Amino acid sequence: MSKSTTKYVCQSCGYVSPRWVGKCPNCTEWNTFVEEATQPVKLSRKMGTASKIEPVPMEQIEGEDVPRVSTGIEEFNRVLGGGIVPGSLMLLGGDPGIGKSTLMMQLALQLKDAVTLYITGEESVRQIKLRAERLEVKSSKNILLFAETNLDLILDVIERGTPDLVIIDSIQTMFRPGLESAPGSVSQVRESTALLLRLAKTKNIPIFVIGHVTKEGVIAGPRVIEHMVDTVLQFEGEAHYSYRILRALKNRFGSTNEIGIFEMHDTGLREVLNPSEAFLSERRYGTSGSTVVSSIEGTRPILIEVQALVTPTSYGVPQRNTTGFDYRRLSLLLAVLEKRVGMHLGNYDVFVNIAGGVKIDEPAVDLGIATSIASSLRDVPTDSTSVAVGEIGLGGEIRTVGQIEKRVQEAAKLGFKRIILPKNNLKNVKGNGEIEIVGVDCIESALEAMLQ
Ligand code: TYD
Ligand code: MG
């Protein structure tokens, strides 16, 4: 009698259970267990050959700078920490349809002198070609396309051809014939990634792996391989807006602070080198409920318009709704406005929107949200030549924010006349005389300064 040959694996976190369970005891997700074969994997490939089996004293290791290959896309380089590190394995995650394949194809087209091997498990080579033709950059002579999902064949092709860059689109479609579980399952995704990692390191070829993120956990999320790869990039954006943000969630060769901003056009993704101007381009002057805030994304200051709409509630429970801002943070700000300023919002619906479809989770935008809400409630426009920045505490006090000098400079650069900021930050700003700097210590004085 052979022993049971199946196990149940959580497709969200990889937890293994001998029998099916409804709720994962590890990550508490529901309905994520899928039956997989437990048959041991016979690895035909050799494991990485270690030439030395002795530990090395640290001081003998040369600590020179990591060499990097420029992607030819400035925003992309910035997120990677300067460029692609040879031999690194990078994961590009994002919702389906956000533009991951487009970004990768543009990268391949930009790297004119390097041979890129684009492996597609989702689309036919014709579809890939059609997409490339839509894009602005035309030279494509150094791109090799390969429509295949069998990882053993793919690894063979990479080893024989030794390309300069490999793109796997996507990891969820790849499978190893030795493993019995379906492509996209945790074991397949993990095993495929491990093999690609070994190849990247031994051949010193950088590899990009595309992974879809699904909230339902039906397909193994790339979460299970995040710890294996060198860099995790996330491509995000609202489906109905054209702005896309590339973020490094993990980077062994650089900081995870930087973001790259792109805009999706009919001819592909275009870099947004001047985000403040782009985000403010559709601003309407003189309407109530709008404030410009100076937010820091990574190390870059970005001016963004925050909007609020406050209207009397017509049906029962008042609504609170946010786009691009944390819902609980809004509730907190409303409570502070109610208690400290005496603004009664219990019979009003409140909608908050960050213009341009971007998400901000920085507390420094609190003040801008509060002034927008007050402005809409009173139907008085805020001063359109001023920028507001500051975190609001539960006592209604305005708390200091980081990197204030950069925020002030950006506001001055874009021609704003005045910036309202936390009083305690005043000692950190010099200012250059171009912009008036007003320090406020409580929410009332901030409202006084912003609402005329
Ligand atoms: P795609 O790169 O296929 O997304 P993903 O690989 O992340 O699933 O692109 C998705 C969307 O982008 C698609 O709906 C069409 C749009 N798009 C443009 O708007 N302009 C373009 O030039 C291209 C190539 C795509
Ligand atoms: Mg795709």
Side-chain angles (χ1 to χ4, degrees), residues 10-51:
C10 170
Q11 302 297 294
S12 178
C13 70
Y15 183 85
V16 180
S17 158
R19 59 188 63 83
W20 190 86
V21 274
K23 183 183 177 185
C24 177
N26 186 39
C27 69
T28 69
E29 292 279 327
W30 284 93
N31 220 356
T32 52
F33 279 84
V34 168
E35 187 175 7
E36 289 183 9
T38 49
Q39 161 213 40
V41 190
K42 287 180 206 79
L43 283 178
S44 54
R45 317 198 129 254
K46 261 190 273 163
M47 308 288 274
T49 45
S51 52

CSV table of all heavy atoms in Angstrom, one decimal, residues 10-51:
chain,number,residue,atom,x,y,z
A,10,CYS,N,-1.8,25.9,1.1
A,10,CYS,CA,-2.4,27.2,1.0
A,10,CYS,C,-1.8,28.0,-0.1
A,10,CYS,O,-0.6,28.2,-0.2
A,10,CYS,CB,-2.2,27.9,2.3
A,10,CYS,SG,-2.8,29.6,2.3
A,11,GLN,N,-2.7,28.5,-1.0
A,11,GLN,CA,-2.2,29.2,-2.2
A,11,GLN,C,-1.8,30.6,-1.9
A,11,GLN,O,-1.4,31.4,-2.7
A,11,GLN,CB,-3.2,29.1,-3.3
A,11,GLN,CG,-3.6,27.7,-3.7
A,11,GLN,CD,-2.4,27.0,-4.3
A,11,GLN,OE1,-1.9,27.3,-5.4
A,11,GLN,NE2,-1.9,25.9,-3.6
A,12,SER,N,-2.1,31.0,-0.7
A,12,SER,CA,-1.8,32.4,-0.3
A,12,SER,C,-0.4,32.4,0.4
A,12,SER,O,0.4,33.3,0.1
A,12,SER,CB,-2.9,32.9,0.6
A,12,SER,OG,-2.6,34.2,1.0
A,13,CYS,N,-0.1,31.5,1.3
A,13,CYS,CA,1.1,31.6,2.1
A,13,CYS,C,2.0,30.4,2.0
A,13,CYS,O,3.1,30.4,2.4
A,13,CYS,CB,0.8,31.9,3.5
A,13,CYS,SG,0.1,30.5,4.4
A,14,GLY,N,1.5,29.3,1.4
A,14,GLY,CA,2.3,28.1,1.2
A,14,GLY,C,2.3,27.1,2.4
A,14,GLY,O,3.0,26.2,2.4
A,15,TYR,N,1.4,27.4,3.3
A,15,TYR,CA,1.2,26.4,4.5
A,15,TYR,C,0.8,25.1,4.0
A,15,TYR,O,-0.1,25.0,3.1
A,15,TYR,CB,0.2,27.0,5.5
A,15,TYR,CG,0.1,26.2,6.7
A,15,TYR,CD1,0.9,26.4,7.8
A,15,TYR,CD2,-1.0,25.3,6.8
A,15,TYR,CE1,0.8,25.7,9.0
A,15,TYR,CE2,-1.2,24.6,8.0
A,15,TYR,CZ,-0.3,24.8,9.1
A,15,TYR,OH,-0.5,24.1,10.2
A,16,VAL,N,1.4,24.0,4.5
A,16,VAL,CA,1.0,22.7,4.1
A,16,VAL,C,0.2,22.0,5.2
A,16,VAL,O,0.6,22.0,6.3
A,16,VAL,CB,2.3,21.9,3.8
A,16,VAL,CG1,1.9,20.5,3.3
A,16,VAL,CG2,3.1,22.6,2.7
A,17,SER,N,-0.9,21.3,4.7
A,17,SER,CA,-1.7,20.6,5.7
A,17,SER,C,-2.0,19.2,5.0
A,17,SER,O,-2.1,19.1,3.8
A,17,SER,CB,-3.0,21.3,5.9
A,17,SER,OG,-4.0,20.5,6.3
A,18,PRO,N,-2.0,18.1,5.9
A,18,PRO,CA,-2.3,16.8,5.3
A,18,PRO,C,-3.7,16.7,4.8
A,18,PRO,O,-4.0,15.8,4.0
A,18,PRO,CB,-2.0,15.9,6.5
A,18,PRO,CG,-2.1,16.7,7.7
A,18,PRO,CD,-1.7,18.1,7.3
A,19,ARG,N,-4.7,17.5,5.3
A,19,ARG,CA,-6.0,17.4,4.9
A,19,ARG,C,-6.6,18.8,4.6
A,19,ARG,O,-6.0,19.8,5.0
A,19,ARG,CB,-6.9,16.7,5.9
A,19,ARG,CG,-7.0,17.3,7.2
A,19,ARG,CD,-7.7,16.4,8.2
A,19,ARG,NE,-7.0,15.1,8.4
A,19,ARG,CZ,-6.0,15.0,9.2
A,19,ARG,NH1,-5.6,16.0,9.9
A,19,ARG,NH2,-5.3,13.9,9.3
A,20,TRP,N,-7.7,18.8,3.9
A,20,TRP,CA,-8.2,20.1,3.5
A,20,TRP,C,-8.8,20.8,4.7
A,20,TRP,O,-9.4,20.3,5.5
A,20,TRP,CB,-9.4,19.9,2.4
A,20,TRP,CG,-9.8,21.1,1.8
A,20,TRP,CD1,-9.3,21.8,0.7
A,20,TRP,CD2,-10.9,22.0,2.3
A,20,TRP,NE1,-9.9,22.9,0.5
A,20,TRP,CE2,-10.9,23.1,1.4
A,20,TRP,CE3,-11.8,21.9,3.3
A,20,TRP,CZ2,-11.8,24.1,1.5
A,20,TRP,CZ3,-12.7,23.0,3.5
A,20,TRP,CH2,-12.7,24.1,2.6
A,21,VAL,N,-8.5,22.1,4.7
A,21,VAL,CA,-9.1,22.9,5.8
A,21,VAL,C,-9.6,24.2,5.1
A,21,VAL,O,-9.2,24.7,4.1
A,21,VAL,CB,-8.1,23.4,6.9
A,21,VAL,CG1,-8.0,22.3,8.0
A,21,VAL,CG2,-6.7,23.7,6.3
A,22,GLY,N,-10.7,24.8,5.7
A,22,GLY,CA,-11.3,25.9,5.1
A,22,GLY,C,-10.5,27.2,5.4
A,22,GLY,O,-10.4,28.0,4.5
A,23,LYS,N,-10.0,27.3,6.6
A,23,LYS,CA,-9.3,28.6,6.9
A,23,LYS,C,-7.9,28.3,7.2
A,23,LYS,O,-7.6,27.3,8.0
A,23,LYS,CB,-10.0,29.2,8.1
A,23,LYS,CG,-9.4,30.5,8.5
A,23,LYS,CD,-10.0,31.0,9.8
A,23,LYS,CE,-9.4,32.3,10.2
A,23,LYS,NZ,-9.9,32.8,11.5
A,24,CYS,N,-6.9,29.0,6.6
A,24,CYS,CA,-5.5,28.7,6.8
A,24,CYS,C,-5.1,29.1,8.2
A,24,CYS,O,-5.3,30.2,8.6
A,24,CYS,CB,-4.7,29.4,5.8
A,24,CYS,SG,-2.9,29.2,6.0
A,25,PRO,N,-4.6,28.1,9.0
A,25,PRO,CA,-4.1,28.4,10.3
A,25,PRO,C,-3.0,29.4,10.4
A,25,PRO,O,-2.7,30.0,11.4
A,25,PRO,CB,-3.8,27.1,11.0
A,25,PRO,CG,-3.6,26.2,9.8
A,25,PRO,CD,-4.3,26.7,8.6
A,26,ASN,N,-2.3,29.5,9.3
A,26,ASN,CA,-1.1,30.4,9.2
A,26,ASN,C,-1.4,31.8,8.8
A,26,ASN,O,-1.1,32.8,9.6
A,26,ASN,CB,-0.1,29.8,8.3
A,26,ASN,CG,1.3,30.5,8.3
A,26,ASN,OD1,1.7,31.0,9.4
A,26,ASN,ND2,1.8,30.7,7.1
A,27,CYS,N,-2.1,32.0,7.7
A,27,CYS,CA,-2.3,33.4,7.2
A,27,CYS,C,-3.8,33.8,7.4
A,27,CYS,O,-4.2,34.9,7.0
A,27,CYS,CB,-1.9,33.5,5.8
A,27,CYS,SG,-2.8,32.6,4.6
A,28,THR,N,-4.6,32.9,7.9
A,28,THR,CA,-6.0,33.2,8.2
A,28,THR,C,-6.9,33.5,7.0
A,28,THR,O,-8.0,34.1,7.1
A,28,THR,CB,-6.3,34.2,9.3
A,28,THR,OG1,-5.9,35.5,8.7
A,28,THR,CG2,-5.5,34.0,10.5
A,29,GLU,N,-6.4,33.2,5.8
A,29,GLU,CA,-7.2,33.4,4.6
A,29,GLU,C,-8.2,32.2,4.5
A,29,GLU,O,-7.9,31.1,4.9
A,29,GLU,CB,-6.3,33.4,3.3
A,29,GLU,CG,-5.4,34.6,3.2
A,29,GLU,CD,-6.2,35.8,2.7
A,29,GLU,OE1,-7.1,35.6,1.9
A,29,GLU,OE2,-5.8,36.9,3.1
A,30,TRP,N,-9.3,32.5,3.9
A,30,TRP,CA,-10.3,31.4,3.7
A,30,TRP,C,-10.2,30.8,2.3
A,30,TRP,O,-10.0,31.4,1.3
A,30,TRP,CB,-11.7,32.0,3.9
A,30,TRP,CG,-12.1,32.2,5.3
A,30,TRP,CD1,-11.9,33.4,6.0
A,30,TRP,CD2,-12.6,31.3,6.3
A,30,TRP,NE1,-12.3,33.3,7.3
A,30,TRP,CE2,-12.7,32.0,7.5
A,30,TRP,CE3,-13.0,29.9,6.2
A,30,TRP,CZ2,-13.2,31.4,8.6
A,30,TRP,CZ3,-13.4,29.3,7.3
A,30,TRP,CH2,-13.6,30.0,8.5
A,31,ASN,N,-10.5,29.5,2.3
A,31,ASN,CA,-10.7,28.8,1.0
A,31,ASN,C,-9.5,28.9,0.1
A,31,ASN,O,-9.6,29.2,-1.1
A,31,ASN,CB,-11.9,29.4,0.3
A,31,ASN,CG,-12.7,28.2,-0.3
A,31,ASN,OD1,-12.3,27.1,-0.3
A,31,ASN,ND2,-13.8,28.6,-0.9
A,32,THR,N,-8.3,28.7,0.6
A,32,THR,CA,-7.1,28.8,-0.2
A,32,THR,C,-6.4,27.5,-0.4
A,32,THR,O,-5.3,27.5,-1.0
A,32,THR,CB,-6.1,29.8,0.5
A,32,THR,OG1,-5.9,29.4,1.8
A,32,THR,CG2,-6.6,31.2,0.5
A,33,PHE,N,-6.9,26.4,0.1
A,33,PHE,CA,-6.2,25.1,0.1
A,33,PHE,C,-6.5,24.4,-1.2
A,33,PHE,O,-7.6,24.2,-1.6
A,33,PHE,CB,-6.5,24.3,1.3
A,33,PHE,CG,-5.7,24.7,2.5
A,33,PHE,CD1,-6.1,25.7,3.3
A,33,PHE,CD2,-4.4,24.1,2.7
A,33,PHE,CE1,-5.3,26.2,4.3
A,33,PHE,CE2,-3.7,24.5,3.8
A,33,PHE,CZ,-4.1,25.5,4.6
A,34,VAL,N,-5.4,23.9,-1.9
A,34,VAL,CA,-5.5,23.2,-3.1
A,34,VAL,C,-4.7,21.9,-3.0
A,34,VAL,O,-3.6,21.9,-2.4
A,34,VAL,CB,-5.0,24.1,-4.3
A,34,VAL,CG1,-4.8,23.2,-5.5
A,34,VAL,CG2,-5.9,25.2,-4.6
A,35,GLU,N,-5.2,20.9,-3.5
A,35,GLU,CA,-4.6,19.6,-3.4
A,35,GLU,C,-3.4,19.5,-4.4
A,35,GLU,O,-3.5,19.9,-5.5
A,35,GLU,CB,-5.6,18.5,-3.8
A,35,GLU,CG,-5.1,17.1,-3.6
A,35,GLU,CD,-6.2,16.0,-3.9
A,35,GLU,OE1,-7.2,16.4,-4.4
A,35,GLU,OE2,-5.9,14.9,-3.6
A,36,GLU,N,-2.2,19.1,-3.8
A,36,GLU,CA,-1.1,18.9,-4.7
A,36,GLU,C,-0.4,17.6,-4.4
A,36,GLU,O,-0.5,17.1,-3.3
A,36,GLU,CB,-0.1,20.1,-4.4
A,36,GLU,CG,-0.5,21.4,-4.9
A,36,GLU,CD,0.5,22.5,-4.7
A,36,GLU,OE1,1.6,22.2,-4.3
A,36,GLU,OE2,0.1,23.7,-4.9
A,37,ALA,N,0.3,17.1,-5.4
A,37,ALA,CA,1.0,15.8,-5.3
A,37,ALA,C,2.2,16.0,-4.4
A,37,ALA,O,2.9,17.0,-4.5
A,37,ALA,CB,1.4,15.3,-6.6
A,38,THR,N,2.5,15.0,-3.5
A,38,THR,CA,3.6,15.1,-2.6
A,38,THR,C,4.9,14.4,-3.1
A,38,THR,O,5.9,14.3,-2.5
A,38,THR,CB,3.4,14.5,-1.2
A,38,THR,OG1,2.8,13.3,-1.4
A,38,THR,CG2,2.5,15.4,-0.4
A,39,GLN,N,4.7,13.8,-4.3
A,39,GLN,CA,5.8,13.0,-4.9
A,39,GLN,C,7.1,13.8,-4.9
A,39,GLN,O,7.1,15.0,-5.2
A,39,GLN,CB,5.4,12.7,-6.3
A,39,GLN,CG,6.4,12.3,-7.2
A,39,GLN,CD,6.0,12.8,-8.6
A,39,GLN,OE1,5.6,13.9,-8.8
A,39,GLN,NE2,6.2,11.9,-9.6
A,40,PRO,N,8.2,13.2,-4.4
A,40,PRO,CA,9.5,13.9,-4.3
A,40,PRO,C,10.0,14.4,-5.6
A,40,PRO,O,9.8,13.6,-6.6
A,40,PRO,CB,10.4,12.9,-3.6
A,40,PRO,CG,9.8,11.6,-3.9
A,40,PRO,CD,8.4,11.8,-4.0
A,41,VAL,N,10.5,15.5,-5.7
A,41,VAL,CA,11.0,16.0,-7.0
A,41,VAL,C,12.4,15.5,-7.3
A,41,VAL,O,13.3,15.6,-6.4
A,41,VAL,CB,11.1,17.6,-6.9
A,41,VAL,CG1,11.4,18.1,-8.3
A,41,VAL,CG2,9.9,18.1,-6.3
A,42,LYS,N,12.5,14.9,-8.4
A,42,LYS,CA,13.9,14.5,-8.8
A,42,LYS,C,14.5,15.6,-9.6
A,42,LYS,O,14.2,15.9,-10.7
A,42,LYS,CB,13.8,13.2,-9.7
A,42,LYS,CG,13.4,12.0,-8.8
A,42,LYS,CD,13.3,10.8,-9.7
A,42,LYS,CE,12.3,9.8,-9.1
A,42,LYS,NZ,10.9,10.1,-9.4
A,43,LEU,N,15.5,16.2,-8.9
A,43,LEU,CA,16.2,17.4,-9.6
A,43,LEU,C,17.2,16.8,-10.5
A,43,LEU,O,18.2,16.2,-10.1
A,43,LEU,CB,16.8,18.3,-8.6
A,43,LEU,CG,15.8,19.2,-7.8
A,43,LEU,CD1,16.6,20.0,-6.8
A,43,LEU,CD2,15.1,20.1,-8.8
A,44,SER,N,17.1,17.0,-11.8
A,44,SER,CA,18.1,16.5,-12.7
A,44,SER,C,19.2,17.5,-12.8
A,44,SER,O,20.3,17.2,-13.2
A,44,SER,CB,17.4,16.3,-14.1
A,44,SER,OG,16.8,17.5,-14.5
A,45,ARG,N,18.9,18.8,-12.6
A,45,ARG,CA,19.9,19.8,-12.7
A,45,ARG,C,20.9,19.8,-11.5
A,45,ARG,O,20.4,19.5,-10.4
A,45,ARG,CB,19.3,21.2,-12.8
A,45,ARG,CG,18.1,21.2,-13.6
A,45,ARG,CD,17.8,22.6,-14.0
A,45,ARG,NE,17.7,22.6,-15.5
A,45,ARG,CZ,18.6,23.1,-16.3
A,45,ARG,NH1,19.7,23.7,-15.8
A,45,ARG,NH2,18.4,23.1,-17.6
A,46,LYS,N,22.1,20.1,-11.8
A,46,LYS,CA,23.1,20.1,-10.7
A,46,LYS,C,22.8,21.4,-9.8
A,46,LYS,O,22.5,22.4,-10.3
A,46,LYS,CB,24.5,20.2,-11.2
A,46,LYS,CG,25.1,18.8,-11.2
A,46,LYS,CD,26.6,18.9,-11.6
A,46,LYS,CE,26.8,18.9,-13.1
A,46,LYS,NZ,28.1,19.4,-13.5
A,47,MET,N,23.0,21.2,-8.5
A,47,MET,CA,22.9,22.4,-7.6
A,47,MET,C,24.1,23.2,-7.9
A,47,MET,O,25.1,22.8,-8.4
A,47,MET,CB,22.9,21.9,-6.2
A,47,MET,CG,21.8,20.9,-5.9
A,47,MET,SD,20.2,21.5,-5.9
A,47,MET,CE,20.1,22.1,-4.2
A,48,GLY,N,24.0,24.5,-7.5
A,48,GLY,CA,25.2,25.4,-7.7
A,48,GLY,C,26.4,24.8,-7.1
A,48,GLY,O,26.5,24.4,-6.0
A,49,THR,N,27.5,24.8,-7.9
A,49,THR,CA,28.7,24.1,-7.4
A,49,THR,C,29.5,25.1,-6.6
A,49,THR,O,30.0,26.2,-7.1
A,49,THR,CB,29.6,23.6,-8.6
A,49,THR,OG1,29.6,24.7,-9.6
A,49,THR,CG2,29.0,22.4,-9.2
A,50,ALA,N,29.7,24.8,-5.4
A,50,ALA,CA,30.5,25.7,-4.5
A,50,ALA,C,32.0,25.4,-4.7
A,50,ALA,O,32.4,24.2,-4.4
A,50,ALA,CB,30.1,25.6,-3.1
A,51,SER,N,32.8,26.3,-5.2
A,51,SER,CA,34.2,26.0,-5.4
A,51,SER,C,34.9,25.9,-4.1
A,51,SER,O,35.8,25.1,-3.8
A,51,SER,CB,34.8,27.0,-6.3
A,51,SER,OG,34.5,28.3,-5.8
